[in-house]
Amino acid sequence: MNPKDLYAHFYLGNIYQQSGLTNFAAESYKKVIEISPDYSWAYYNLASISYTNGDVEGAKEYLKLTIEYNSTDTEAYKLYTKICLKQGETDEILELLHSALDVEENGDLFYCLARVYKFIGEADEYYENLKSAINNQYTLTFPLDTVKQEFEYIKDKLGKDETIEPEKIMDEYDSDEEGEEDSSKEDEEEEEFSEDDSDEDEYSDESEEEYEEEDDENSEYEDEYSDDEFEEDGVDEEENSDENIDEDETSSDEYSEEEDEYEDDEYSEDDEDEQDEDEE
């Protein structure tokens, strides 16, 4: 492997990370950063490894670098929000999320902001940001059904002039439902794919049978056609040979007649010469 190939080190780190070999993965990502110090994905993966290993402060430092080099990395904001809410540090993440949303609206960032306001008990802001998240659902990777359920819940609360209590522990959304939906979609896609395969097999069998029938018909036609041609050719050859024989015989007869005339002429001339000599 080329030691200066950052993509080789990065994808090797992915393989290590997916296999649970986080120490080897971290070393690969650090080599990527040595080659390209602004490669944000390497910082994010290092943050993820640090968070998994319980190094929360190390994860935050890597996330800050991720956002510094790529301010549109929503995954970095999502993980940063989770860490800050678990630590109860809301001021820092509020400032970070508002700064990002001032640049570009994003469904995931609106939902993160909504969860922060729910955490500190500000119902109106919680409601407004949930509404914005739903309005930007094309950039929303959180389960849409979960977001809508929360929206209806807080809407009902506000309609009754009720308030929400600040959370002492962050209430994370349940991702199992999303996973089940994804797996069911994969199963449906596999079933459709298998049905398509069976249809293609049936179609190929039918086409093969049709092709064989066409081959049989073509072969029969070719045999008949070749036999007819052969018979016609035979007749033509016989006619040609007869004509040639007749021509040859005619030409030979003509030749023989010419020879006979020539010999007769010669013979008569010789007789005349002999008579002249006798007279002399």
Side-chain angles (χ1 to χ4, degrees), residues 61-76:
E61 291 302 317
Y62 283 126
L63 288 172
K64 288 177 182 178
L65 290 169
T66 303
I67 294 170
E68 178 181 345
Y69 293 117
N70 184 9
S71 60
T72 61
D73 192 333
T74 55
E75 294 301 319

Side-chain angles (χ1 to χ4, degrees), residues 41-151:
W41 288 357
Y43 289 113
Y44 175 80
N45 288 349
L46 285 169
S48 178
I49 291 172
S50 298
Y51 179 74
T52 302
N53 291 338
D55 184 7
V56 177
E57 293 302 321
K60 287 176 69 175
E61 291 302 317
Y62 283 126
L63 288 172
K64 288 177 182 178
L65 290 169
T66 303
I67 294 170
E68 178 181 345
Y69 293 117
N70 184 9
S71 60
T72 61
D73 192 333
T74 55
E75 294 301 319
Y77 289 103
K78 288 160 69 174
L79 183 54
Y80 208 114
T81 302
K82 183 184 290 187
I83 292 172
C84 287
L85 293 183
K86 281 190 173 183
Q87 292 181 326
E89 299 174 356
T90 57
D91 292 339
E92 183 180 2
I93 189 60
L94 281 174
E95 182 181 354
L96 199 61
L97 290 171
H98 278 294
S99 298
L101 286 168
D102 286 341
V103 176
E104 184 179 4
E105 292 188 350
N106 180 280
D108 279 344
L109 298 188
F110 277 121
Y111 184 70
C112 287
L113 196 56
R115 296 309 297 264
V116 176
Y117 282 119
K118 180 186 178 184
F119 184 82
I120 60 181
E122 294 189 14
D124 290 332
E125 293 294 335
Y126 177 43
Y127 169 82
E128 290 297 330
N129 282 284
L130 284 175
K131 183 178 179 181
S132 297
I134 294 171
N135 290 337
N136 289 273
Q137 58 185 276
Y138 294 109
T139 54
L140 181 69
T141 61
F142 290 100
L144 183 59
D145 290 341
T146 301
V147 179
K148 287 182 177 180
Q149 287 173 6
E150 290 187 38
F151 178 74

